[in-house]
Amino acid sequence: MTIELNREAIAQVAALPAVTEAAEAGSALISLWPLTEAMQMDNDAKYAENLQVRVTRAFARILTGEDVTVPDAEFVYEGADEIPGRPQSIVDALLAANDAYDTMADYAESGDARLIVEAADVLGIDWDSATAESVREAVAAMEAQVEADAEADGRLATSAKPADVAVRFATALAVCDALLGEVSGDAVADGSADSVANAAAKILPILLYGNELREQCSVPRICLTDEQILGLLNARAKAADADTLTATAEYIAPLAVAEWNKHREDVLWNPDEAKRQAKEEDEKRNKEALAAKFAHVKDDPGKETVEL
């Protein structure tokens, strides 16, 4: 399979209001780098750990159809291979999701398309040989085109300008949308819950790749919950005139805004400042509550004023 990135289509996606808003949020986050304060670097490391927990939890919920909890995902991320009182199927799915996540971790540096297929195998995703080969070929071809574009106009530069972030984000969305179409095919055409769920499992390696590609393009990572993964497939299935790229962009962009705002807030979080603000909020609420309690008491104009 050969997929070519359409520059005109990418430009149109980059100009979408939802994408430009996401680019503003992405720009605000990217502008923090390079991080130099120890607290911010620690905060970013904690964010990355939490991101993996959230991603693997979403994957396990898709793979099992079970109610995988945050504690489940945290325990397995921390090294548990069984959780008392919890189904082993959940633990196994989380272990596989973490293995797949780690498998793809080096992609931004290596650019080895085989890692995507390896991640699919780890997750137990049933890609036939033709699909796996198509994914490898498509990724290799698109990576080459993305790099060529970067050399021509700097689209993969690390610029934090919103307009540049928008183009890089749109490029990554175009690559991922093409791969989503290749892997899911017509699996969600009937819109049934079963077909969407089956397709959701098949696209999980592409979602991992999408984050690695964004990293490569100097665009922050994102996280989709299991419900949002299903929502993405439904949005693409309903795309008018089969314009799945626009549907993908308009669905993902608001999620990216929320994720990148959260990432920035997490990096900048200061416990002392948070404690001070919490104290001020408590004092404000107490004063408001006290004022409301005595609101019915009228002032006595003849009462002597007492200086405190």
Side-chain angles (χ1 to χ4, degrees), residues 13-260:
V13 168
L16 290 172
V19 173
T20 57
E21 182 181 356
E24 292 284 350
S27 173
L29 173 58
I30 295 169
S31 296
L32 298 179
W33 268 260
L35 299 178
T36 56
E37 296 183 16
M39 181 180 295
Q40 292 184 0
M41 289 187 280
D42 287 344
N43 288 344
D44 190 51
K46 291 175 183 176
Y47 168 83
E49 293 174 353
N50 184 50
L51 179 69
Q52 181 164 346
V53 167
R54 291 160 57 213
V55 169
T56 53
R57 178 193 179 215
F59 280 24
R61 290 173 71 94
I62 290 289
L63 292 170
T64 64
E66 301 278 353
D67 181 22
V68 182
T69 67
V70 172
D72 291 336
E74 289 175 339
F75 285 142
V76 173
Y77 174 78
E78 292 166 0
D81 55 13
E82 60 180 16
I83 302 175
R86 298 295 287 157
Q88 189 60 34
S89 58
I90 286 178
V91 176
D92 290 343
L94 285 166
L95 287 169
N98 277 282
D99 284 347
Y101 196 101
D102 294 339
T103 294
M104 287 297 299
D106 295 330
Y107 183 85
E109 294 294 331
S110 70
D112 188 349
R114 291 174 297 181
L115 293 176
I116 305 171
V117 179
E118 288 181 21
D121 289 340
V122 169
L123 289 168
I125 305 301
D126 185 21
W127 282 359
D128 57 37
S129 58
T131 298
E133 184 61 27
S134 292
V135 168
R136 284 196 297 266
E137 291 178 357
V139 168
M142 287 188 288
E143 289 278 357
Q145 188 173 345
V146 166
E147 290 178 7
D149 286 349
E151 292 179 1
D153 56 23
R155 289 188 179 186
L156 289 190
T158 57
S159 166
K161 293 181 179 179
D164 295 333
V165 175
V167 173
R168 297 200 303 270
F169 184 34
T171 300
L173 286 170
V175 172
C176 293
D177 179 72
L179 289 174
L180 289 174
E182 174 62 19
V183 172
S184 64
D186 298 326
V188 295
D190 63 5
S192 70
D194 286 344
S195 64
V196 172
N198 290 334
K202 289 186 176 181
I203 70 168
L204 297 182
I206 304 303
L207 298 182
L208 286 176
Y209 167 71
N211 264 347
E212 295 303 321
L213 176 63
R214 276 184 279 273
E215 180 79 9
Q216 192 177 30
C217 295
S218 298
V219 174
R221 297 169 184 265
I222 62 174
C223 175
L224 273 64
T225 66
D226 53 311
E227 292 181 353
Q228 290 166 346
I229 293 171
L230 297 174
L232 171 61
L233 288 172
N234 281 317
R236 295 180 78 259
K238 297 173 183 176
D241 299 323
D243 184 7
T244 58
L245 176 53
T246 297
T248 295
E250 290 184 336
Y251 187 87
I252 294 293
L255 304 180
V257 172
E259 186 66 37
W260 296 341

